[in-house]
Amino acid sequence: MSLDVERLFAEREAERYALHARYLNEQMVRVLKTIGFDQAYRRGQGQYLYDRDNRQYLDLLSGWGVFALGRNHPVVRDSLKQVLDSDFPNLVQMDVSALAGVLAERLLRYVPHLEKVFFANSGAETVEASLKFARAATGRDGIVYCDHAYHGLTYGALSLNGDEIFRKGFGSLVPGCVEVPFNDLAALERALSSKKIAAFIVEPIQGKGVTMPEDGYLSSALDLCRKHGTLFIADEIQTGLGRTGRFLACEHWGIEPDIVLLSKSLSGGHVPVGAVLTRKWIFDKVFDRMDRAVVHGSTFAKNDMAMAAGLATLEVLESEKLMQNAERIGGRLLATFTGMIGRHELVKDVRGKGLMIGIEFGSPRSLTLKASWNLLETANSGLFCQLIVIPLLKDHRILTQVAGHGNHTIKLLPPFIITDADCDWIEKSFEAVIADAHRVPGAIWSLGKTLIENAAKARASG
Ligand SMILES: Cc1ncc(COP(=O)(O)O)c(C=O)c1O
């Protein structure tokens, strides 16, 4: 007997929304149906998704940043097949993994000032580990994080979340966590000067809103950490592995964090994995005696599939020169979008580095447009971006996302493999949709009206 997964998928895929509404997250199904994102993709290859009619979509969301190499990259796939076809002694536990040793060695080549690696199963797990490591290493309790930060949703990571919507309703969080505004060195210094702070954790470029650090912010923050005996943790879960054109985004500002967190892209888009890169003395404070050899860890961490996915990812990053591609293509897109500021009054700002790009919209000057904007904002702050994201998918088959709740920024997080032809597609589509948004009355603002009415109906029906 064997399980025919392909047949199972073919037979049942049409029921996916019904199954999810019944057994999983019904609210997610409602969201997808409301904004018309229930496309029922059948296939994914590289930077593209395909629906039932084999229509091609360009994916600029990359599963929230995991498909750096695109979907189903042949090298990753082949490495995983080799693991499956091998008789490697996976997860013996009372032994150590050869592949984990090699992956650690290769990761540290990219970050030579760090000496040790701890593997985990997800981004949030690396955050949890880093908090424990920082507390153990410094003997202090406090953690400083930034407003609008996103480090994951487990309790430790949630305690560092700069957004009320994620925290509300989940009770008390980890004590000792202090929020400071991003880019505010004076506030950081005030927080650190208590001398109770184990670590400052920061995304070099904040994922929510694609908020850039001011020049000098990260290096001065690192100096402040040194001055006050606080560790500097760089959360590179989204920015890392070359997304911004350098292996770490921190390299753009020439800083050497004490702890670096990686995940997402390292998975090759196939096997969840996370890595904490750290200084040896920090690691040694945690694992300081033989009876504490397993004082932190997780059953599935370092499994052979995850390690092979990580190794294959690094191999492809190099062989296909994907960091260079991210830098070049990202530069082209940034220049194009920046050129829209001024030409389209709704486009307020364009930010990013490499293939992490945010396009921010804001209140227009002209009166008719302003009236429509205000109506939408009053009904639901941040709704405007859906009016861009929806036609991008419906009319131009481009999958994008709004960069957070109540946010006016659309985020592009494409696979690193996108081509100039894909950029032509992106530029033409955004230009058309953004130009349409400047026409009142017009299809986009009618869509806004429909969304407001649907939301009101949904609220009324509970
Ligand atoms: C910067 C950052 N840190 C941490 C996380 C959490 O990762 P995970 O969802 O794998 O727990 C994310 C996920 O989006 C992230 O973007």
Side-chain angles (χ1 to χ4, degrees):
M1 265 298 275
S2 71
L3 173 68
D4 189 341
V5 182
E6 275 186 54
R7 202 172 121 201
L8 191 64
F9 180 83
E11 283 174 0
R12 304 290 305 273
E13 66 86 15
E15 295 170 63
R16 71 182 78 187
Y17 302 108
L19 287 168
H20 274 254
R22 181 154 188 196
Y23 299 116
L24 291 110
N25 186 344
E26 185 177 2
Q27 299 304 339
M28 190 62 201
V29 175
R30 289 177 77 189
V31 169
L32 294 175
K33 287 189 183 286
T34 304
I35 62 175
F37 271 42
D38 49 339
Q39 298 292 318
Y41 301 107
R42 280 267 182 98
R43 199 158 63 80
Q45 189 58 56
Q47 60 273 53
Y48 308 116
L49 286 163
Y50 298 86
D51 66 13
R52 258 181 214 140
D53 303 317
N54 211 24
R55 284 181 306 191
Q56 189 182 52
Y57 295 75
L58 180 58
D59 177 9
L60 304 186
L61 170 53
S62 302
W64 290 331
V66 301
F67 295 109
L69 314 183
R71 283 185 161 76
N72 297 315
H73 193 286
V75 173
V76 181
R77 224 182 202 176
D78 178 56
S79 307
L80 296 177
K81 282 185 186 165
Q82 287 182 48
V83 174
L84 288 175
D85 291 340
S86 78
D87 290 320
F88 290 162
N90 192 21
L91 294 176
V92 177
Q93 309 297 7
M94 286 312 287
D95 189 21
V96 293
S97 148
L99 294 183
V102 180
L103 180 57
E105 180 184 62
R106 297 208 175 155
L107 282 172
L108 289 169
R109 273 188 207 149
Y110 289 95
V111 193
H113 75 279
L114 298 179
E115 297 136 314
K116 289 278 189 177
V117 179
F118 174 88
F119 286 111
N121 301 295
S122 68
E125 269 193 30
T126 67
V127 173
E128 300 294 333
S130 72
L131 301 186
K132 287 178 76 176
F133 285 18
R135 282 179 163 187
T138 61
R140 298 174 174 184
D141 250 16
I143 309 288
V144 173
Y145 66 96
C146 292
D147 61 350
H148 303 302
Y150 187 93
H151 299 289
L153 297 177
T154 50
Y155 267 105
L158 188 63
S159 309
L160 314 172
N161 190 298
D163 254 303
E164 191 49 26
I165 188 149
F166 286 110
R167 303 163 67 123
K168 208 169 160 211
F170 294 110
S172 50
L173 301 174
V174 172
C177 298
V178 180
E179 184 175 304
V180 295
F182 187 62
N183 276 327
D184 186 337
L185 289 166
L188 179 61
E189 170 125 54
R190 274 196 301 280
L192 299 188
S193 60
S194 67
K195 305 278 187 207
K196 290 183 181 153
I197 305 301
F200 170 53
I201 181 165
V202 65
E203 302 151 83
I205 300 172
Q206 286 194 315
K208 172 160 184 191
V210 191
T211 309
M212 299 295 290
E214 282 163 14
D215 274 339
Y217 172 65
L218 293 172
S219 57
S220 301
L222 184 63
D223 290 344
L224 287 176
C225 286
R226 297 271 178 280
K227 179 173 155 196
H228 294 285
T230 295
L231 299 177
F232 187 107
I233 304 173
D235 179 346
E236 296 252 13
I237 287 166
Q238 195 167 135
T239 49
L241 272 101
R243 176 159 293 286
T244 69
R246 301 278 185 283
F247 189 79
L248 298 183
C250 281
E251 292 172 36
H252 292 288
W253 294 279
I255 61 157
E256 295 190 341
D258 300 302
I259 298 178
V260 170
L261 311 181
L262 299 171
S263 185
K264 293 200 187 271
S265 297
L266 190 61
S267 66
H270 274 290
V271 191
V273 63
V276 181
L277 278 53
T278 172
R279 295 188 190 282
K280 182 175 181 318
W281 75 265
I282 297 171
F283 201 84
D284 289 348
K285 287 272 190 179
V286 180
F287 301 102
D288 59 344
R289 295 192 311 259
M290 275 207 287
D291 62 325
R292 285 172 56 86
V294 291
V295 76
H296 188 63
S298 172
T299 303
F300 291 104
K302 304 192 286 288
N303 73 80
D304 282 339
M305 292 288 274
M307 298 300 101
L311 285 163
T313 300
L314 296 182
E315 201 73 30
V316 176
L317 272 185
E318 292 298 337
S319 62
E320 297 187 11
K321 298 191 170 28
L322 292 184
M323 285 189 258
Q324 293 87 327
N325 199 53
E327 183 170 32
R328 187 183 69 78
I329 295 271
R332 169 179 165 176
L333 289 174
L334 267 169
T336 302
F337 286 116
T338 305
M340 291 184 184
I341 305 171
R343 204 152 48 74
H344 293 304
E345 58 174 312
L346 284 160
V347 180
K348 292 293 170 198
D349 194 18
V350 174
R351 298 180 294 271
K353 260 200 192 300
L355 288 174
M356 182 169 180
I357 298 174
I359 304 149
E360 185 175 348
F361 296 86
S363 178
R365 288 179 308 277
S366 52
L367 286 180
T368 35
L369 209 49
K370 202 181 178 75
S372 300
W373 171 275
N374 288 344
L375 194 71
L376 207 65
E377 271 302 286
T378 315
N380 187 338
S381 178
L383 194 59
F384 174 79
C385 281
Q386 298 295 356
L387 305 192
I388 303 291
V389 161
I390 292 172
L392 274 173
L393 186 70
K394 283 274 166 215
D395 304 334
H396 300 274
R397 299 198 201 123
I398 288 188
L399 180 61
T400 51
Q401 63 178 323
V402 183
H405 295 97
N407 202 294
H408 294 123
T409 301
I410 290 179
K411 180 155 89 174
L412 273 53
L413 217 54
F416 305 173
I417 57 172
I418 62 165
T419 62
D420 282 301
D422 294 325
C423 285
D424 295 343
W425 180 356
I426 295 168
E427 289 165 357
K428 237 172 72 205
S429 307
F430 271 84
E431 181 62 40
V433 172
I434 292 173
D436 263 1
H438 287 75
R439 285 183 203 112
V440 184
I444 283 197
W445 295 100
S446 314
L447 171 65
K449 205 162 152 266
T450 311
L451 286 182
I452 294 173
E453 285 164 3
N454 287 351
K457 270 189 227 146
R459 268 199 303 275
S461 70

